[in-house]
Amino acid sequence: MTGVAQRRVEDELPLAPRSAGVSRFVKLMVAFLAIIILLSATLAGVAVVFIGDRVVAEAQTRVVSDLNAADEMYRAYSDRLYDLIRLEAGRNYLQDDLLAGGASAAAPELTQTMNAEQLDFLTVTDAAGIVLFRAGNPGVAGDSQAGQSVVATALAKATPGVATAVFTADMLGRESPRLPQAARLELVPTRGARPRTATVETNGLVLLAAAPVVDDSGKVIGALYGGRLLTRRFEIVDSIRDTVFGGSQYEGRAIGTSTIFLDDVRIATNVLNQDGTRAIGTRVSEDVYNRVVVGGERWVGPAYVVNAWYIAAYDPLRDADGRVVGMLYVGTLEQPYVDLRVRTSLLFLGITLTAVLAAVAVSYIFSRRLSTPLRALVEASRRVASGDLDATVPVTSKDEIGQLASSFNTMAASLKARDDQLKEFARRKVMESERLAVVGQLAADVAHELNNPLQGIVTYSHLMLERMPADDTQRSAAEKIANEATRCATIIRGLLDFSRPKKPQKKLTDMSTTIDECLSLVEDRVIFHNIEVVRDYRKDLPATVMDPAQMQQVYMNLIINAAEAMGGVGRLTVTTRHDVERGVVQASFRDTGHGISEENMGRIFDPFFTTKEIRHGTGLGLAISFGIVKEHGGTITVESEEGVGTTFTIELPVNAPQEAGQ
Ligand SMILES: Nc1ncnc2c1ncn2[C@@H]1O[C@H](COP(=O)(O)OP(=O)(O)OP(=O)(O)O)[C@@H](O)[C@H]1O
Ligand SMILES: [Mg+2]
């Protein structure tokens, strides 16, 4: 019995497989971690991109300000030349010479100035721009320089000026015989540069300043102009590099570089070739050329310069007429920024990775702290399910898990108490029924032994009565003996019927007919005189397999019980029905009697249970009826309400098998 109950408990308990609960927990943790990792990775990615952008933007901002500084230095360099020429033009010897109609007296002075100031040429013209004397080339004079904008302005407006200008080889040669060679550059084939057929650059970029020479009345009597060839003049670019970038190095290379371009050709630069020589003669990329020289715009961005990537900025250099004749460039090596970006990214990734690892560790510890007590709970539930009600779980905390554990312990304890009670109850019941069985057996034996002598007493007492004269004084005593003996015989028969039920003789029988015969038998009795009997039979009731004699015993008992419950006044409704769906025939006996108290309800089928006075009932009627109906495979049920009435219902299966041989 206990075994069956245990199996059922285990079947019904939705206990998951041993690991499923925990694995779901692990899944939750994994999902939680996945979200953290995803979020961290996204954040790290965004941060890396953002920082990368910031680094590039910062580098470009810096290079723009570097270019501005370079522009300023270039202008300062021009201004020094301008001041020099202006001051030289104001000297008396020039004025005197020009007023005298020549420049021969001034020649030594001019030559000395040219050499002392490291000018490449220094030339004086008359008021019409005709060259009077060249310090750089004393043999060549008489040509007109009025076409040179700076000179023309000096002559026409009496205003000194300075400008960047392109001199052809001829012009250079005229100023100084060594200049064409100094300006000549072999063009170095450069990847990405605009296509050019020329292999040599013969033009020179010069910084040219001119100032008017005026007489005492302020009249322009001539002009002085001088200049420096910028080709291979490294002092400007080097001082830009040293001033702007402070000469800092990165992995053996100068971080900052500066270049002066003639058109697209590097003519003065500190960008180095692979072999460490200055990369003059190399050219700028076509893209930059188009934007700066052709388009006349400033250009800032990453550029591949000779052999490395630079964050570069280019400004156009214009001549006195506003034409773009070259470019001024500054650039910083991109590598330090790239490395900075990589280092920052790695740092971020490291931080993210550390955070993720910390999250993993924390969630592992957390999950262990949660899953250990949960696993203990699952294990304990399993033990309880398999009948071990002593199973408890340790209460290790005061949180929800702790509360769950202590509730579980309380539940297990109360289950155990209930189980103990049930066991005790069952033990007592078993003992009781064993005792009852013994008593029952004893009673049956006694009844059997008493039956024969009782039959004798009944028979002889009645015989005695028959023969006794009516006025015999002993007659009433004899009558008592006969009646009491008959009552004893009835009890004994009942006992025998109950203890040794007869084998039923089953056959197809109509239920309504059997009931009706019973009613006919009793209806004439005094107790039924004031009882209205209502017959509510179902017409097409199927014939049912039953022992009609035994079933009549059942009906009779129910009918008599009903009449007695109504005290002889009331209504007895007998109904027969066919429940096709369930395959049963039903007979119900509804009375309007005193009903059955709730207290007695559970006992009315017990043998010898009766509420009737001694001599009126044995208490065996329903017990025997129950046995008979059960033996027929049917059921007998009761519904009752105190003071209203009682309904007994019998159900018999329609398709019960007939007895063998019937
Ligand atoms: N229709 C009913 N209305 C109210 N009480 C009933 C009814 N039928 C049975 N009982 C109760 O059930 C008890 C047991 O019935 P049962 O038929 O077993 O015995 P009995 O009628 O008391 O005695 P016996 O049937 O041996 O004469 C009755 O004493 C009565 O208290
Ligand atoms: Mg009865």
Side-chain angles (χ1 to χ4, degrees):
M1 187 64 187
T2 330
V4 173
Q6 279 174 12
R7 253 195 318 281
R8 277 194 54 211
V9 167
E10 240 181 343
D11 288 349
E12 284 165 17
L13 258 185
L15 278 185
R18 202 159 277 271
S19 63
V22 177
S23 83
R24 193 162 306 145
F25 192 75
V26 169
K27 272 184 214 158
L28 199 77
M29 280 296 163
V30 168
F32 168 69
L33 275 180
I35 291 171
I36 289 186
I37 291 171
L38 206 75
L39 265 178
S40 314
T42 314
L43 271 179
V46 168
V48 163
V49 170
F50 180 74
I51 287 171
D53 286 354
R54 281 301 321 150
V55 166
V56 171
E58 176 64 29
Q60 293 195 351
T61 314
R62 273 191 62 178
V63 88
V64 166
S65 72
D66 293 346
L67 184 62
N68 290 339
D71 281 340
E72 209 48 59
M73 288 181 72
Y74 185 81
R75 192 167 312 124
Y77 190 80
S78 312
D79 287 349
R80 274 202 301 280
L81 180 68
Y82 166 88
D83 287 340
L84 180 76
I85 298 300
R86 190 170 53 84
L87 290 174
E88 197 66 26
R91 289 177 65 179
N92 287 335
Y93 69 87
L94 257 182
Q95 197 183 1
D96 297 346
D97 241 16
L98 283 172
L99 287 173
S104 49
E109 295 273 359
L110 289 172
T111 310
Q112 196 206 336
T113 304
M114 185 184 80
N115 293 333
E117 296 297 336
Q118 293 179 340
L119 297 175
D120 286 318
F121 55 92
L122 185 62
T123 304
V124 62
T125 70
D126 64 10
I130 305 297
V131 172
L132 297 175
F133 174 71
R134 280 190 167 91
N137 198 359
V140 179
D143 55 299
S144 169
Q145 288 297 323
Q148 201 52 260
S149 288
V150 191
V151 179
T153 310
L155 290 173
K157 298 184 179 165
T159 317
V162 66
T164 311
V166 180
F167 273 31
T168 61
D170 281 352
M171 290 160 76
L172 289 168
R174 208 176 297 139
E175 296 301 337
S176 169
R178 66 172 182 87
L179 284 183
Q181 194 51 44
R184 188 185 162 87
L185 274 179
E186 296 282 336
L187 294 183
V188 179
T190 314
R191 188 165 59 107
R194 82 184 154 111
R196 262 176 87 161
T197 43
T199 56
V200 177
E201 178 61 66
T202 51
N203 287 346
L205 196 67
V206 292
L207 202 57
L208 176 71
V213 182
V214 289
D215 63 11
D216 290 339
S217 64
K219 185 172 163 262
V220 177
I221 51 173
L224 179 70
Y225 71 87
R228 291 190 180 114
L229 178 66
L230 294 177
T231 307
R232 290 194 178 87
R233 189 173 284 274
F234 304 119
E235 62 200 46
I236 308 177
V237 288
D238 285 354
S239 73
I240 288 176
R241 180 193 62 197
D242 296 343
T243 311
V244 175
F245 301 104
S248 15
Q249 301 246 321
Y250 189 79
E251 291 172 355
R253 266 174 201 264
I255 286 185
T257 50
S258 175
T259 302
I260 295 171
F261 287 85
L262 163 59
D263 202 24
D264 64 343
V265 184
R266 286 188 181 83
I267 56 166
T269 182
N270 40 46
V271 174
L272 301 182
N273 289 315
Q274 211 71 50
D275 58 8
T277 55
R278 293 182 191 258
I280 49 173
T282 56
R283 295 191 293 138
V284 80
S285 74
E286 186 172 13
D287 197 29
V288 175
Y289 171 81
N290 285 337
R291 295 282 290 278
V292 185
V293 179
V294 180
E297 300 167 5
R298 172 176 276 200
W299 188 88
V300 180
Y304 192 78
V305 178
V306 183
N307 52 26
W309 279 94
Y310 284 81
I311 295 169
Y314 297 80
D315 253 352
L317 286 178
R318 297 174 189 276
D319 66 8
D321 301 321
R323 277 192 302 270
V324 179
V325 291
M327 299 184 287
L328 182 64
Y329 147 94
V330 289
T332 57
L333 269 181
E334 198 188 32
Q335 197 57 43
Y337 293 101
V338 171
D339 291 350
L340 178 66
R341 203 161 58 187
V342 169
R343 270 202 309 278
T344 322
S345 304
L346 285 178
L347 186 74
F348 253 85
L349 287 179
I351 291 170
T352 309
L353 208 70
T354 315
V356 167
L357 284 178
V360 169
V362 166
S363 52
Y364 176 76
I365 294 166
F366 189 65
S367 74
R368 290 238 11 128
R369 276 186 54 188
L370 265 179
S371 71
T372 309
L374 279 184
R375 220 176 291 153
L377 259 173
V378 170
E379 187 51 41
S381 325
R382 208 179 296 278
R383 280 174 60 194
V384 168
S386 60
D388 176 8
L389 298 179
D390 289 322
T392 53
V393 283
V395 181
T396 50
S397 62
K398 284 184 177 167
D399 57 11
E400 292 87 341
I401 297 278
Q403 286 168 12
L404 187 63
S406 70
S407 312
F408 178 86
N409 289 344
T410 315
M411 182 196 76
S414 52
L415 265 180
K416 187 171 160 50
R418 184 84 54 84
D419 190 58
D420 288 347
Q421 273 177 11
L422 269 174
K423 276 184 187 152
E424 180 56 26
F425 179 74
R427 194 179 60 78
R428 258 197 252 129
K429 270 285 166 200
V430 167
M431 276 175 65
E432 204 172 292
S433 48
E434 277 169 357
R435 206 172 55 233
L436 273 178
V438 172
V439 172
Q441 185 59 45
L442 209 71
D445 291 349
V446 170
H448 185 73
E449 288 300 319
L450 288 182
N451 197 28
N452 289 343
L454 253 180
Q455 288 304 327
I457 294 172
V458 170
T459 313
Y460 287 110
S461 60
H462 278 97
L463 264 177
M464 235 167 75
L465 264 177
E466 274 172 27
R467 291 176 190 164
M468 205 174 257
D471 55 351
D472 196 313
T473 50
Q474 299 297 317
R475 192 171 175 90
S476 86
E479 270 175 357
K480 272 190 183 134
I481 292 171
N483 285 345
E484 292 300 309
T486 310
R487 206 169 75 84
C488 287
T490 317
I491 293 171
I492 294 293
R493 204 179 317 117
L495 253 178
L496 285 175
D497 283 353
F498 180 70
S499 61
R500 298 189 188 133
K502 282 188 227 117
K503 189 110 177 85
Q505 305 288 308
K506 292 184 187 169
K507 59 180 181 190
L508 272 176
T509 313
D510 179 54
M511 192 183 238
S512 308
T513 315
T514 340
I515 294 173
D516 213 44
E517 281 168 11
C518 291
L519 284 172
S520 313
L521 273 176
V522 294
E523 248 173 345
D524 290 337
R525 292 198 192 174
V526 180
I527 196 167
F528 279 92
H529 283 177
N530 290 317
I531 289 176
E532 181 195 353
V533 177
V534 180
R535 293 170 167 81
D536 177 13
Y537 301 141
R538 170 91 185 221
K539 294 261 165 16
D540 51 352
L541 205 65
T544 317
V545 176
M546 64 171 93
D547 179 332
Q550 284 193 350
M551 284 311 291
Q552 271 183 341
Q553 198 182 337
V554 175
Y555 304 144
M556 200 62 110
N557 183 49
L558 295 181
I559 291 164
I560 301 289
N561 278 354
E564 286 176 348
M566 292 188 283
V569 186
R571 190 193 309 124
L572 171 66
T573 312
V574 184
T575 314
T576 56
R577 288 281 180 268
H578 178 203
D579 188 335
V580 184
E581 222 165 82
R582 290 168 52 223
V584 291
V585 286
Q586 290 174 337
S588 65
F589 301 82
R590 189 166 80 243
D591 64 50
T592 54
H594 52 62
I596 305 167
S597 70
E598 210 163 297
E599 183 196 347
N600 290 343
M601 203 62 150
R603 304 168 62 197
I604 52 169
F605 292 103
D606 289 352
F608 301 110
F609 174 78
T610 180
T611 54
K612 291 168 190 168
E613 289 168 28
I614 304 175
R615 291 184 201 164
H616 279 91
T618 60
L620 281 171
L622 283 178
I624 292 169
S625 303
F626 185 86
I628 292 171
V629 173
K630 197 173 160 205
E631 213 286 326
H632 277 74
T635 56
I636 176 166
T637 51
V638 58
E639 279 173 65
S640 183
E641 195 178 330
E642 262 190 300
V644 177
T646 307
T647 307
F648 278 89
T649 306
I650 291 167
E651 282 187 353
L652 294 180
V654 177
N655 297 321
Q658 286 196 31
E659 289 299 296
Q662 293 292 308

